[in-house]
Amino acid sequence: MTERDARMETVAMLIQPGQNPEIVVNAVRAAFPRLVVIEEEPESKKLFIRRRARKLGWVQALGQLATMVVSKYGKRFTLGRAKEILEEFGANPAVDSQIRRVAVPSANSPEFLKALDDIRPAALLLVSTRMLKAGTLAAIACPVLNFHAGITPQYRGLQGGYWSRILADEENFGATVHLVDAGVDTGGVLYQHRLKPSKRDTVHTYPLLQTAASTGIIVEALHDAVTGSLKPLKIAAPSRQWYHPPIWTWLWNGVTRGIW
């Protein structure tokens, strides 16, 4: 397949609406003009916290919710740094109305599989979505890739950039594109991009920085997927799943170590 043939393949992206996914949408659209975006409805915080509480207990779940709330409303205080990141990497977070979009209630809904059946993409990329259930994944005919704001397998799950700093492991601050399997960010690694965060970066800006800096590896991975040249890497490193830090952990590390 020639470069032009690859560009004209239809690629699909599954996202939840937001600034960071739109950065990826615009970068992918530039490389694959026939991109189709599937948008799933965000999960309610009530369901999210109930699920997290079943796994970690109510104290941890509510502590993590508090950090999420602070992070959401705290972004207004980091607008200057966010603007710098967008300018540095030429990232565009605007919604492009010219891109075909399909709305579905969930990544695991019949509507999602029907949308994929109609689109028939050569590859599917997930960005900031629910996990695909095993049955959903088995029903998808094309390669399924995920963009993860963290280095795997060491920093699977959430806030990989933050935890790499907490563990004094900034050499593993970055992002990963990997194949999707039934686990949490456990699929074969395709590409990784490491970078050094600024001292001004916090949980409010880590994901934006990781996303804006890593669109190149996303496009490379999708190119490999549509041309049938995917080559997952075997990485010998400790594997661990992380979550949002509870509010007391976030405040303690911020005050005592300057890591917010």
Side-chain angles (χ1 to χ4, degrees):
M1 182 181 293
T2 67
E3 188 69 31
R4 176 176 173 77
D5 290 337
R7 277 178 51 81
M8 297 314 295
E9 289 285 347
T10 299
V11 168
M13 277 184 61
L14 175 65
I15 70 170
Q16 289 185 9
Q19 173 181 251
N20 294 357
E22 291 300 336
I23 289 173
V24 181
V25 167
N26 289 316
V28 171
R29 173 64 183 277
F32 297 94
R34 296 178 64 178
L35 170 69
V36 180
V37 174
I38 304 172
E39 295 183 350
E40 71 163 350
E41 296 176 7
E43 183 180 45
S44 73
K45 287 292 187 289
K46 186 176 181 180
L47 289 176
F48 175 86
I49 291 303
R50 282 182 175 177
R51 189 178 67 251
R52 187 62 57 81
R54 285 196 297 269
K55 189 167 188 176
L56 301 175
W58 278 104
V59 172
Q60 282 290 322
L62 293 175
Q64 291 172 17
L65 176 62
T67 305
M68 293 165 64
V69 171
V70 170
S71 178
K72 178 180 178 180
Y73 290 101
K75 286 183 179 179
R76 69 187 66 182
F77 300 107
T78 59
L79 293 177
R81 174 57 182 154
K83 183 179 179 181
E84 288 179 3
I85 292 171
L86 295 175
E87 291 177 349
E88 179 180 356
F89 296 100
N92 179 10
V95 176
D96 186 343
S97 61
Q98 300 302 310
I99 297 175
R100 178 185 170 192
R101 294 174 186 258
V102 180
V104 300
S106 165
N108 294 296
S109 64
E111 292 88 342
F112 171 61
L113 290 178
K114 183 181 184 305
L116 280 182
D117 189 54
D118 292 340
I119 299 166
R120 298 186 180 278
L124 171 66
L125 174 69
L126 314 182
V127 182
S128 301
T129 68
R130 293 175 176 84
M131 283 185 59
L132 297 186
K133 294 181 179 178
T136 301
L137 191 57
I140 301 175
C142 66
V144 183
L145 285 59
N146 181 58
F147 171 71
H148 172 65
I151 296 296
T152 65
Q154 300 97 311
Y155 299 99
R156 298 185 294 108
L158 299 168
Q159 290 293 345
Y162 173 81
W163 290 114
S164 71
R165 295 200 66 202
I166 292 300
L167 296 184
D169 187 28
E170 285 194 9
E171 290 184 357
N172 283 314
F173 182 101
T176 302
V177 182
H178 62 84
L179 294 173
V180 176
D181 61 15
V184 179
D185 302 321
T186 54
V189 171
L190 300 172
Y191 291 97
Q192 294 183 324
H193 178 69
R194 290 169 170 80
L195 65 154
K196 185 176 180 60
S198 164
K199 291 182 179 179
R200 296 172 58 203
D201 285 311
T202 67
V203 291
H204 309 101
T205 61
Y206 295 142
L208 174 62
L209 175 62
Q210 290 162 294
T211 302
S214 304
T215 56
I217 63 171
I218 296 172
V219 171
E220 283 189 75
L222 284 171
H223 182 274
D224 291 348
V226 302
T227 57
S229 54
L230 290 169
K231 296 179 180 178
L233 305 173
K234 292 183 179 180
I235 298 179
S239 178
R240 181 172 175 180
Q241 181 179 352
W242 298 86
Y243 302 90
H244 293 287
I247 191 70
W248 50 86
T249 298
W250 181 67
L251 289 173
W252 174 258
N253 283 305
V255 172
T256 62
R257 301 175 60 191
I259 300 176
W260 293 96

